[in-house]
Amino acid sequence: MKTHFKAFIFVLLVAIPFFSSAQDLKEKIYQKREIVEFDPDDENQHVPLELFAMKSPDSTRFYLSVGNLGVGDNVIQIQFDPIFELFLEIGETLSQAEATLYKIQDMYNQAEGTSMQLNGSLAVGFPNKDIEPVTITRKSFMLTKYLEFSVVRDGYIRATSISKSDFNSLMLTYKMNRKRTLKEFKE
């Protein structure tokens, strides 16, 4: 009887943190409002992109998820982390978010090596409060223009690349859904 009681107490102690974090997860899922998601067919060379808002009772923040990051240096990136995503803060209002998206899109037309910085969060599932600078650099390979989104951690570079065609597809989808989005996020 004592072993059953001890086992019950152990299971209860292990389950309490799980259920308390599950409540936080449920609240975050409820707060997240997807605006546009673009997931290319070719999973080997393309990164899923997502534009969304996190609503809370007192504010709304808009984010752009540029997917999972690799680990490496300026030359080689090894893609092995399917859990952590990079979330860019793009504004507190829809007009700020739009302006930032157009600024990112304009980077594809800049000279190779041009860069800018935005704040971002490398986290699991949802952006968290650990904000760090994300460098966006215009690069090219053969005829393909792309942007590299990178974060420096412990001497290593964590990065992912978004091609111009993928980002333009995200923007086209956003423009097609813009009226619905404006109604939902009236300023």
Side-chain angles (χ1 to χ4, degrees):
M1 184 71 168
K2 283 186 178 181
T3 57
H4 291 297
F5 182 70
K6 287 180 182 178
F8 174 72
I9 295 296
F10 177 75
V11 169
L12 188 61
L13 290 174
V14 170
I16 288 173
F18 172 75
F19 288 117
S20 66
S21 65
Q23 181 65 28
D24 291 342
L25 181 63
K26 182 180 175 185
E27 288 174 9
K28 287 192 180 227
I29 290 172
Y30 178 72
Q31 292 174 352
K32 184 177 177 181
R33 299 281 192 252
E34 182 181 299
I35 298 171
V36 177
E37 184 174 17
F38 176 71
D39 194 5
D41 294 332
D42 185 4
E43 294 178 11
N44 294 329
Q45 296 183 3
H46 296 283
V47 176
L49 299 169
E50 183 181 16
L51 176 62
F52 64 94
M54 294 289 288
K55 283 187 159 187
S56 65
D58 56 340
S59 69
T60 300
R61 285 191 131 357
F62 292 86
Y63 294 91
L64 174 66
S65 169
V66 294
N68 309 103
L69 301 183
V71 175
D73 56 22
N74 285 327
V75 179
I76 297 174
Q77 287 286 314
I78 300 169
Q79 300 290 331
F80 74 91
D81 182 2
I83 298 174
F84 285 87
E85 280 182 72
L86 181 60
F87 302 99
L88 299 175
E89 289 185 344
I90 58 172
E92 293 181 8
T93 65
L94 187 58
S95 57
Q96 288 176 351
E98 275 186 15
T100 304
L101 287 172
Y102 286 121
K103 192 174 177 182
I104 293 170
Q105 189 176 32
D106 186 53
M107 286 284 295
Y108 288 101
N109 299 323
Q110 302 300 316
E112 187 170 351
T114 304
S115 64
M116 66 182 256
Q117 283 194 335
L118 290 176
N119 287 329
S121 172
L122 184 59
V124 178
F126 302 95
N128 58 29
K129 302 214 184 297
D130 297 332
I131 303 301
E132 57 191 305
V134 176
T135 303
I136 304 170
T137 307
R138 172 32 183 98
K139 296 192 173 192
S140 63
F141 179 72
M142 297 181 135
L143 298 175
T144 305
K145 293 180 181 179
Y146 65 93
L147 294 180
E148 180 183 80
F149 297 82
S150 62
V151 175
V152 177
R153 290 251 178 112
D154 301 325
Y156 292 101
I157 297 174
R158 304 228 29 210
T160 189
S161 301
I162 308 295
S163 70
K164 183 177 181 177
S165 62
D166 286 352
F167 198 85
N168 285 345
S169 295
L170 174 82
M171 292 299 290
L172 180 63
T173 307
Y174 170 73
K175 288 175 186 176
M176 291 183 343
N177 293 315
R178 190 170 185 273
K179 275 189 174 180
R180 176 189 59 84
T181 306
L182 285 172
K183 285 181 186 176
E184 186 175 350
F185 298 100
K186 290 181 184 176
E187 297 177 2

